[in-house]
Amino acid sequence: MAVMPVYDTIVIPGATVYLRTQDYVKGTGRQPVTGERVTFVVEREETERASLTNESFYPIGSSGTITEVNGGGYIALRIQNRVNIDEVTVLQGGSISLTVTRRPDVDDLDVEEAEKRVRSMRDAILAFCEKYQWGPMIRLQAQHWNTMWEIAGALSPFLYAEDSEKYALLAEDTLQARFDMAERMLRENLELARVNTEAQTAQQEDYQKLYREDAIKKQMSYLQKELDGMHPENVTDVRRLELKLEEAGMNETALKEGRRVLNRLKSEGGQGPEAGMLMDYLELLTSLPWQKTEGERIALGDARAVLDRDHAGLEKVKKRILQQIAVMTLRGRQSGSILCFVGAPGTGKTSIGQSIASALGRKYVRVSLGGVRDEADIRGHRRTYIGSMPGGIMDGIHKSGVSNPVMVLDEIDKLSASYAGDPASALLEVLDPEQNSNFTDHYLNVPFDLSDVFFICTANTLDTIPEPLLNRIDVIQFQGYTPLEKMEIARDHLLPKAMEAAGLEKKDLEVEEKALEKVIGEYTREAGVRGLKKRMDMICRAAAVQLVEEPGKAVRVTEENIRDFMDMHPVRQNRVPEKTKPGIVTGLAWTPVGGEILYIQTLLTKGEGHLTVTGRLGDVMKESAQIAVSLVKAFFPEQAADLKKSDMHIHVPDGATPKDGPSAGITLTTALSSLVTGVAVPPDVAMTGEVSLQGDMRAIGGLPEKLMAAQRAGVKTVFIPTENREDLKDVAQEVRDAMKIIPVSSVEEVLSYLGMQVYTLTQAG
Ligand code: ADP
């Protein structure tokens, strides 16, 4: 009798099993003969024939008969009984000898019920095959299935089930339980196959759809291009925008929004009420520089050269800018700090921004924020507004045509908040490197990456910059220029540029240095060089006229004839007077347009000890006046008695300009002291310093600007607080050389120096 080891095969009675002839030969060591009886032993795990041992098998097997030996290499075996394997011996060479006894089934099967269930199973399988066009062979066989055993046997090679599960069918003694198990296994597998097939089909359908869509799109765009090429005059605006939209290289969100608007435009048609607005939007969206950058990394030396080429002086500023560029180069992106240039008008803040751009090889764009009150000026109006527009930032980006320009935000000190939102907080978002890669303009309504923009802010004063903004920026002071620096700027920069603009060549015009000095000294009065630039233009225009009238005759501008070139009178200079009376003292002030000198005038009249202050002084300055009065009473107790019978008037001329700040304290005190003692203070002595009620001098701001103003006015001696001594480092040598600068730490020092006898406060105390 043949013994056939099997693994993972269902060999229950009633089943027909199909085996490959060669497997049968290998397993049994015999050729198959129809009608021969075969005993099946079930392996516990899949094992090579040569490695089989006595323990390789489950204790229950089955026996059957070969019913068909097929010429195509298959044999069919019909299983009849189950057997107990009483003894098994695997011989050398792999042949197996067995002692078996028949193992009977417990027949408790409900036949009628079983037939129903078999029919339903068969139908389910057939329907499945039908639906998924699956297994034509199985469909053929299925016609003949009459028992669950046949079905399980036939499907055995395809069933997903543990081999132990398959063996469990064989080991089950009662037929009803075996039937239930087999049915369950088949149903599960049927379900599994269905899910698998459906998933596969769905996936295939998806892919197919995708391929199809892509193919159609490609074909359409190809055909459309062909058509456009044949009739370029017929390419509609909508079509043009569509092309631009796909080619602009914008981010996903923007592209989506763009397509959405485009679809609306298409459905609305070119004549719809909103068409214009939608088109404007698309024009802007598609022409933004989504991925255009310009400029390479550059050597610091080259950057330095460019900065020097365009601007004289400004050493500290240039140094700080080079640091910024160095940090940027190392990081490969923007530095985290935002530069803010602060200083008087015409000190070169904006124009050095231009220089930075050319040093970096980048585009330059300026966005003016002066007078901006509305958040929308910065981030745009929502598109629902009629005439809505993008804000200044995106407008600037659009104008620059690149996504990494040097953008100068001019006059951030002139922002103001209004009912329409706070522009400063919008600006903060623009400047914050953490947020600005996703900056969303209200009009555009899609994010734009600003993180490559090199932002520079400018301002005249720090006082009016909103606090949160102030915290974010890195302030660089532009102090204004000394006469010598102005000279250099006029000679090397402003004049050559003005000549070029007027079409003059070098040989056509010569301006003597003395003449330039006179222009600086008499025709301008400013911290920066804006006026000076205008005067240079003025000279060149006049020279151009002369040159046209008398061609070939070079024009010479000298100290003597400069007046002929100026179509204006010399500017009234704020120079200190020759003489002065007691009670008048020269002070130094800082203003957003540079340093200034001012005179504090005081007067005593008959009265009852009242104090009057005029000249549009702010609260802080009024308080300084009160302190001055108290100090004077303490310093000069004898005179103080008379003060009860007088009114005191303090006036600071130039009432049109509001003035405030504590730094006039020393000047106020000195003026009143001079008044009550009758000791006149020389007009070329100036001073600045906050004063405490103890008579101490406290530090003040803006020293370089103030000293420059003093120099312009011809001041010879200046008292400054000792605490400000360090600031002298920032003051040009030329300025320091022009006057005697005396650091003092108390009011008494100043008064004694000026020859007033002081009843010292320590004595008084
Ligand atoms: P701000 O922005 O500070 O008001 P601008 O940048 O508009 O000043 O400068 C006014 C003019 O003066 C510009 O033409 C600029 O080129 C010129 N200028 C200012 N500072 C210098 C300088 N240090 N060297 C050369 N030209 C200068």
Side-chain angles (χ1 to χ4, degrees):
M1 191 179 61
V3 179
M4 177 71 201
V6 291
Y7 172 76
D8 192 23
T9 303
I10 293 171
V11 282
I12 45 177
T16 299
V17 178
Y18 296 85
L19 292 178
R20 292 200 312 183
T21 313
Q22 66 186 85
D23 290 342
Y24 178 83
V25 175
K26 209 167 144 202
T28 57
R30 304 173 182 230
Q31 288 300 321
V33 183
T34 311
E36 184 167 32
R37 286 190 60 79
V38 182
T39 304
F40 292 93
V41 284
V42 185
E43 292 171 16
R44 289 178 192 271
E45 46 193 61
E46 200 166 11
T47 316
E48 278 294 302
R49 175 90 200 183
S51 329
L52 288 171
T53 67
N54 297 355
E55 277 69 49
S56 296
F57 308 101
Y58 283 115
I60 300 169
S62 58
S63 63
T65 319
I66 297 179
T67 53
E68 188 188 340
V69 179
N70 167 309
Y74 277 90
I75 59 173
L77 300 113
R78 179 91 180 166
I79 316 287
Q80 278 114 7
N81 305 303
R82 302 187 305 147
V83 292
N84 287 322
I85 297 169
D86 301 328
E87 221 183 294
V88 56
T89 320
V90 180
L91 302 171
Q92 199 84 41
S95 60
I96 303 162
S97 100
L98 293 175
T99 322
V100 298
T101 46
R102 182 159 166 200
R103 185 179 176 101
D105 297 328
V106 179
D107 189 355
D108 57 349
L109 196 63
D110 178 341
V111 181
E112 244 171 68
E113 172 73 14
E115 271 176 8
K116 251 195 257 163
R117 282 159 66 180
V118 168
R119 237 179 288 129
S120 138
M121 174 65 70
R122 198 181 49 205
D123 291 348
I125 291 173
L126 278 171
F128 178 85
C129 293
E130 196 69 41
K131 182 163 178 199
Y132 299 108
Q133 300 170 7
W134 195 71
M137 276 305 287
I138 290 181
R139 249 185 295 170
L140 219 63
Q141 284 185 20
Q143 320 285 345
H144 310 292
W145 289 335
N146 291 316
T147 65
M148 202 57 91
W149 325 126
E150 279 171 324
I151 300 177
L155 295 183
S156 171
F158 312 110
L159 296 180
Y160 284 98
E162 296 284 321
D163 66 293
S164 57
E165 258 180 273
K166 291 181 181 175
Y167 171 74
L169 284 180
L170 184 64
E172 179 55 57
D173 287 335
T174 62
L175 284 185
Q176 187 63 51
R178 196 185 299 160
F179 184 93
D180 293 344
M181 274 165 76
E183 184 187 28
R184 189 185 167 75
M185 188 186 288
L186 286 167
R187 289 262 177 218
E188 267 175 20
N189 271 273
L190 199 57
E191 193 57 26
L192 202 71
R194 191 180 62 76
V195 171
N196 270 342
T197 316
E198 269 176 8
Q200 264 176 23
T201 320
Q203 220 174 17
Q204 267 168 13
E205 277 171 5
D206 272 0
Y207 281 137
Q208 265 174 6
K209 221 165 113 187
L210 220 68
Y211 292 144
R212 205 174 137 76
E213 205 176 303
D214 279 357
I216 292 175
K217 265 191 199 156
K218 277 209 184 110
Q219 208 165 18
M220 263 170 68
S221 101
Y222 173 77
L223 292 176
Q224 187 65 56
K225 272 196 193 133
E226 287 280 290
L227 270 180
D228 295 350
M230 282 180 212
H231 306 280
E233 70 284 1
N234 283 356
V235 178
T236 60
D237 279 346
V238 176
R239 171 68 188 147
R240 188 176 51 75
L241 286 171
E242 186 168 16
L243 287 175
K244 267 179 91 181
L245 187 67
E246 301 298 329
E247 284 159 15
M250 57 188 78
N251 57 49
E252 268 306 304
T253 327
L255 193 58
K256 251 191 205 153
E257 176 76 359
R259 285 183 182 148
R260 204 177 61 80
V261 173
L262 187 75
N263 284 337
R264 230 171 98 197
L265 183 63
K266 280 180 180 167
S267 66
E268 183 131 315
Q271 310 313 323
E274 286 198 299
M277 196 192 90
L278 297 174
M279 235 165 211
D280 284 348
Y281 174 80
L282 286 170
E283 285 286 359
L284 180 70
L285 187 74
T286 53
S287 56
L288 282 176
W290 289 98
Q291 287 185 355
K292 290 195 204 91
T293 58
E294 228 170 71
E296 295 290 319
R297 282 190 185 183
I298 54 144
L300 273 192
D302 297 346
R304 169 93 226 187
V306 174
L307 294 181
D308 283 341
R309 180 195 72 201
D310 296 344
H311 290 85
L314 298 175
E315 273 313 308
K316 271 177 94 175
V317 175
K318 287 177 187 166
K319 204 167 133 199
R320 180 64 185 83
I321 291 171
L322 289 172
Q323 287 170 358
Q324 187 90 346
I325 294 177
V327 170
M328 247 174 61
T329 314
L330 286 182
R331 281 169 49 125
R333 58 192 162 99
Q334 290 313 309
S335 142
S337 56
I338 290 136
L339 302 184
C340 181
F341 299 158
V342 180
T347 47
K349 301 181 299 293
T350 331
S351 66
I352 207 154
Q354 225 159 353
S355 269
I356 293 175
S358 79
L360 295 172
R362 295 198 187 186
K363 285 267 160 52
Y364 165 86
V365 62
R366 187 172 154 242
V367 177
S368 181
L369 300 178
V372 161
R373 298 170 56 229
D374 200 329
E375 194 201 354
D377 291 332
I378 291 183
R379 2 166 83 190
H381 291 280
R382 292 192 192 287
R383 247 176 297 149
T384 42
Y385 283 92
I386 305 261
S388 56
M389 284 186 309
I393 304 296
M394 286 318 294
D395 192 43
I397 292 284
H398 184 220
K399 278 194 192 125
S400 77
V402 290
S403 58
N404 68 339
V406 171
M407 185 179 282
V408 172
L409 302 172
D410 236 348
E411 307 199 297
I412 59 164
D413 53 336
K414 309 230 168 31
L415 287 175
S416 54
S418 72
Y419 66 93
D422 181 4
S425 64
L427 201 57
L428 264 177
E429 220 172 287
V430 171
L431 295 176
D432 188 349
E434 305 284 313
Q435 298 183 49
N436 70 7
S437 57
N438 264 320
F439 175 72
T440 304
D441 181 278
H442 287 325
Y443 176 80
L444 283 169
N445 201 25
V446 294
F448 190 91
D449 186 353
L450 293 179
S451 60
D452 283 335
V453 180
F454 189 129
F455 286 109
I456 295 169
C457 306
T458 81
N460 291 143
T461 169
L462 292 177
D463 298 347
T464 50
I465 299 179
E467 189 71 29
L469 206 53
L470 201 56
N471 292 337
R472 280 292 310 137
I473 56 181
D474 205 347
V475 172
I476 301 178
Q477 297 278 0
F478 282 55
Q479 292 162 351
Y481 300 109
T482 65
L484 263 185
E485 287 170 334
K486 286 182 184 173
M487 183 73 192
E488 193 188 337
I489 294 171
R491 190 187 58 215
D492 299 343
H493 296 275
L494 302 178
L495 188 59
K497 267 191 219 153
M499 285 174 66
E500 199 187 325
L504 298 174
E505 286 180 30
K506 215 167 171 174
K507 60 173 176 34
D508 297 333
L509 172 70
E510 190 196 338
V511 184
E512 285 186 352
E513 295 229 334
K514 284 278 179 205
L516 284 181
E517 261 171 39
K518 210 159 174 181
V519 174
I520 294 166
E522 294 178 20
Y523 290 90
T524 64
R525 181 187 151 196
E526 57 182 353
V529 291
R530 248 181 219 175
L532 191 56
K533 180 175 184 298
K534 284 194 190 126
R535 302 301 103 79
M536 294 302 114
D537 292 339
M538 212 181 257
I539 291 175
C540 290
R541 282 197 302 269
V545 173
Q546 288 192 12
L547 216 71
V548 171
E549 284 171 351
E550 285 183 75
K553 188 162 175 282
V555 180
R556 230 180 118 78
V557 184
T558 64
E559 193 182 356
E560 288 72 34
N561 71 2
I562 179 73
R563 179 69 187 89
D564 303 338
F565 290 85
M566 300 279 104
D567 49 7
M568 61 185 285
H569 295 289
V571 208
R572 186 181 63 84
Q573 294 298 323
N574 203 358
R575 295 196 60 89
V576 293
E578 302 278 300
K579 277 202 298 206
T580 184
K581 292 189 297 189
I584 301 179
V585 174
T586 310
L588 299 173
W590 181 92
T591 76
V593 296
E596 267 299 340
I597 64 166
L598 48 79
Y599 302 101
I600 293 194
Q601 308 172 343
T602 56
L603 189 67
L604 280 179
T605 56
K606 265 202 159 33
E608 296 157 347
H610 293 305
L611 174 67
T612 311
V613 183
T614 53
R616 281 190 82 189
L617 307 190
D619 288 343
V620 178
M621 204 150 160
K622 280 186 189 151
E623 282 171 10
S624 297
Q626 304 273 6
I627 293 175
V629 172
S630 303
L631 278 176
V632 167
K633 284 181 185 161
F635 281 138
F636 308 103
E638 285 172 29
Q639 288 88 339
D642 299 338
L643 291 179
K644 286 197 191 110
K645 289 171 277 171
S646 333
D647 284 345
M648 219 182 281
H649 189 153
I650 299 176
H651 179 61
V652 187
D654 192 6
T657 334
K659 314 168 191 74
D660 202 8
S663 75
I666 181 65
T667 322
L668 288 162
T669 315
T670 309
L672 285 177
S673 305
S674 159
L675 182 68
V676 300
T677 57
V679 177
V681 176
D684 61 0
V685 171
M687 55 197 68
T688 178
E690 182 178 350
V691 162
S692 76
L693 207 49
Q694 275 73 45
D696 298 325
M697 283 272 269
R698 291 281 155 76
I700 45 89
L703 188 69
E705 288 90 344
K706 287 175 175 172
L707 293 184
M708 266 188 246
Q711 184 202 17
R712 281 202 294 277
V715 168
K716 290 285 171 267
T717 309
V718 185
F719 293 103
I720 63 166
T722 315
E723 289 176 3
N724 280 104
R725 212 188 236 151
E726 277 294 300
D727 299 348
L728 285 174
K729 282 207 307 268
D730 298 337
V731 178
Q733 188 64 44
E734 176 199 346
V735 176
R736 279 183 279 162
D737 289 347
M739 63 191 81
K740 188 169 173 190
I741 298 169
I742 307 172
V744 289
S745 46
S746 73
V747 180
E748 292 165 63
E749 282 176 61
V750 177
L751 298 184
S752 318
Y753 188 93
L754 296 170
M756 296 176 216
Q757 281 295 312
V758 180
Y759 180 80
T760 59
L761 289 188
T762 38
Q763 274 173 291

